[in-house]
Structure formats: C-alpha cells, structure tokens
Amino acid sequence: MITREKLENNQVWLYVIVLVIAAGFGLIVPNVAGQFDITISAVIAILMYSMFSQIPFTSLKEWVVNRRFIWALLTVNYIAVPIVVWLLSKLLPDYPPLLLGVYLVLLTPCIDYVIVFTALGRGNEKIILMSTPILFITQMLLLPLYLWLFMGNEATGIVEPGPFLEAFFGLIVIPLGIAIALQLFARKAPVGNQIVNLSAWLPVPFMALTLFVVVASQIGKLSTYMNLIIKVIPIYIAFMIIVPIISRYIAKWFNLDIGSGRALIFSGSTRNSLVVLPLALALPDDISTLVAAVIVTQTIVELVGELIYIRVVPNLLLRQK
C-alpha cells in the first residue's frame, strides 16, 4: 500500500523518471506534446494550492517576516545575483537576443514553485511565501533597470507588467486564497478538514505532473537553435553552482537560522522562467523563438538542479547543527 510518507520519501526518484519520460515523449511526438503548454499554468496553480494548504495560516496571526531575512533576500537577488549574471554573460557571444533571454530569466527571482522546492529542501517555506509580494514588486521595478544597465535602451521597452500580474494572481493569490478559505472552513465543518487532509497528498504528484508538462511541451522547441542553446547550458549550470554558495555566506552574514538560510539559498538559485516566458513570446517574431528557447532551456536545467538541491542543501550546504 502506498502511503503519503513513502511517496514523499521516494519523490526524487519519481521526478527523475518523470523527467526522462517527458523528454522522450516531447522528442518522439512533439506535435502532441506541444499542446501541453496550455496546461502549464493550471497545473502549477494546483501545485501551489496543495503547498499552501499545508501551511497553517489560521495559526500565524502573530507571525511576521523576519526583517533580517528580507534584507538578505534583497541582497542575494538584487546585488549578488546581478553581479554573477553580468560576469557569466561575458562568456557568451555578443548576440542581443541570446543575452536578452539569459538576462530575462536569470535576473528575476521565482515567486511560485520556489515555495515547493524550499519545502522539499527542508527550508522555511512560510517565510518565502510571505516574501513573494516583495519579490514580485521589486523584480518588476528593477528588471527594466538591469536590462538597461546590461543592454542599453533596446531592451527596456519589452518588460510589461501584464504577464507578471497575470502569473502572480493566477499562481499565487488565487491558490493562496482558496487554501486560506478552506482552512477557515475546516475549523467549522468536518468536510473542510477532510479536504485539507486530502490536499496533503497533492504536492508530490502535481510536482511530477508539472515537470512532465513543462519538459514535454517545450523540449521539442530547442532544436532550431541548438548551436546557441549549447552555449547557455554551461552558464546556467555555473549559476546554479555559484549562487547557492554565495547565498550560504550571505545567510551567515545576516545571522539567519537554518530554515531561513535554506530558504534564502532556494530563492537566490530559483528563477522565474515560467513567468517571464510570456514576455519572450510577446517579442517580435524574428527574435521571440530564440529568446523563448533560451528561457525554456533554463527551466529544464533548473528543474534537474532543484532535484539535486533538495538533497544537497539540507544535507551538505546548510546542515542542521
């Protein structure tokens, strides 16, 4: 009999299997797999609800975000990360569409499934959850500035608030509101409590489903620009190696506890690929396909990296003393 504990203990192997199947499916039947892209937002929204439903909001009345954590979060995402991204970009060809894709995805901190991976990596997912409005507002304000600093005036006009607002409300606000409403309902009616308990089964299978639909629907689009994609993959891998180490030292500098330090590592290392993808698709046709392919490549590299993070961060990089 499959129990929730067994499912959670074996989730990493499940994700690895799903990644392999999704890649194979997307390459063998790209026309069919490509249709899955319309389901990505809905699947992530359900995944986020399942995670939110496990956070006891009704008992967090006196809980507030630690100010030290907020300053550490801003330091990692808007000082350390841009410096790392700028230095790594110097290793790429001076080709604006390629650089634009890299900057769009690496300069924007994740506001959705970073909560999931933080929880899986035994970090403080509640502190990340409460910080998402701050990350959302700051990245909207600062992304045009960083694009202007790194690329000049040609890139600043593409960042519109619409895609960010749509993703934030669809992937954060609505699932969060449903989770809180159900928890309040559960305090008054047994059926509400049953729904909340049932929701505890959803994170692992819906994370697996998210991995499948993203990878299967997008992997077939990469072949057109494979000569350029090959150049960005080492940059993404280097980013995922360097940033956690920097984040660990910043966590110590701000004297964060273990859970908050792990949350900081996941926030600094997890990027907003699924949210900035609409920005790429809204670009002129002659560059949108390449920019989107560069962003999707980061998604695939990151998903593999996150599977490593959820073991390495709590067991090696920032262990409980």
Side-chain angles (χ1 to χ4, degrees):
M1 180 179 178
I2 297 177
T3 64
R4 202 176 88 197
E5 183 178 359
K6 286 182 179 179
L7 190 63
E8 291 174 350
N9 289 340
N10 293 282
Q11 61 188 297
V12 173
W13 293 113
L14 172 64
Y15 299 154
V16 171
I17 294 171
V18 167
L19 282 173
V20 173
I21 295 174
F25 186 79
L27 293 173
I28 294 171
V29 284
N31 292 334
V32 176
Q35 303 301 314
F36 291 165
D37 57 3
I38 62 175
T39 69
I40 291 174
S41 294
V43 171
I44 292 178
I46 297 173
L47 172 65
M48 297 312 299
Y49 157 73
S50 71
M51 293 302 303
F52 294 152
S53 68
Q54 306 311 302
I55 299 174
F57 294 104
T58 54
S59 62
L60 294 178
K61 294 179 180 178
E62 299 180 358
W63 193 89
V64 293
V65 175
N66 186 300
R67 290 187 179 181
R68 287 202 309 272
F69 177 78
I70 293 299
W71 284 114
L73 191 72
L74 298 177
T75 300
V76 167
N77 281 298
Y78 301 121
I79 297 177
V81 165
I83 291 173
V84 171
V85 172
W86 184 78
L87 291 173
L88 289 175
S89 70
K90 297 305 174 183
L91 302 175
L92 291 170
D94 187 16
Y95 184 50
L98 179 71
L99 294 173
L100 180 58
V102 170
Y103 291 146
L104 275 174
V105 72
L106 291 186
L107 292 173
T108 50
C110 185
I111 58 171
D112 38 66
Y113 63 56
V114 63
I115 303 166
V116 176
F117 285 117
T118 301
L120 294 175
R122 287 181 273 165
N124 188 341
E125 74 274 16
K126 292 189 285 291
I127 205 169
I128 283 289
L129 166 64
M130 299 302 178
S131 304
T132 52
I134 296 173
L135 287 177
F136 167 65
I137 294 169
T138 50
Q139 68 183 257
M140 276 206 305
L141 295 174
L142 293 176
L143 180 58
L145 172 63
Y146 283 122
L147 290 178
W148 176 76
L149 288 173
F150 293 173
M151 297 189 67
N153 294 328
E154 62 181 312
T156 56
I158 72 165
V159 181
E160 300 291 339
F164 284 89
L165 288 169
E166 181 180 350
F168 183 72
F169 281 97
L171 303 181
I172 299 293
V173 175
I174 293 176
L176 176 60
I178 294 173
I180 293 174
L182 280 174
Q183 288 189 20
L184 292 172
F185 180 58
R187 300 177 69 177
K188 300 179 179 179
V191 66
N193 194 51
Q194 291 174 2
I195 294 173
V196 172
N197 291 335
L198 183 62
S199 299
W201 283 81
L202 299 180
V204 174
F206 268 89
M207 175 57 70
L209 183 58
T210 300
L211 294 175
F212 181 83
V213 297
V214 170
V215 174
S217 64
Q218 303 300 321
I219 196 168
K221 302 176 182 179
L222 306 183
S223 59
T224 305
Y225 297 99
M226 190 54 66
N227 60 322
L228 293 173
I229 295 301
I230 290 174
K231 298 181 185 299
V232 300
I233 290 175
I235 300 301
Y236 293 149
I237 294 174
F239 178 89
M240 296 201 75
I241 294 173
I242 295 169
V243 173
I245 296 172
I246 294 175
S247 300
R248 177 181 181 272
Y249 284 105
I250 291 176
K252 288 185 175 294
W253 183 32
F254 281 89
N255 196 29
L256 300 182
D257 60 76
I258 295 294
S260 298
R262 291 170 181 168
L264 185 70
I265 292 173
F266 276 97
S267 179
S269 307
T270 310
R271 303 290 88 191
N272 224 4
S273 56
L274 299 181
V275 175
V276 298
L277 189 57
L279 294 177
L281 297 174
L283 292 171
D285 292 340
D286 56 336
I287 65 171
S288 65
T289 304
L290 172 58
V291 176
V294 170
I295 292 173
V296 169
T297 300
Q298 192 276 338
T299 305
I300 296 171
V301 173
E302 180 176 89
L303 291 174
V304 175
E306 296 287 348
L307 298 181
I308 299 173
Y309 278 174
I310 62 176
R311 288 296 181 90
V312 170
V313 171
N315 295 322
L316 182 63
L317 197 57
L318 203 56
R319 293 184 293 179
Q320 191 74 45
K321 295 181 180 179

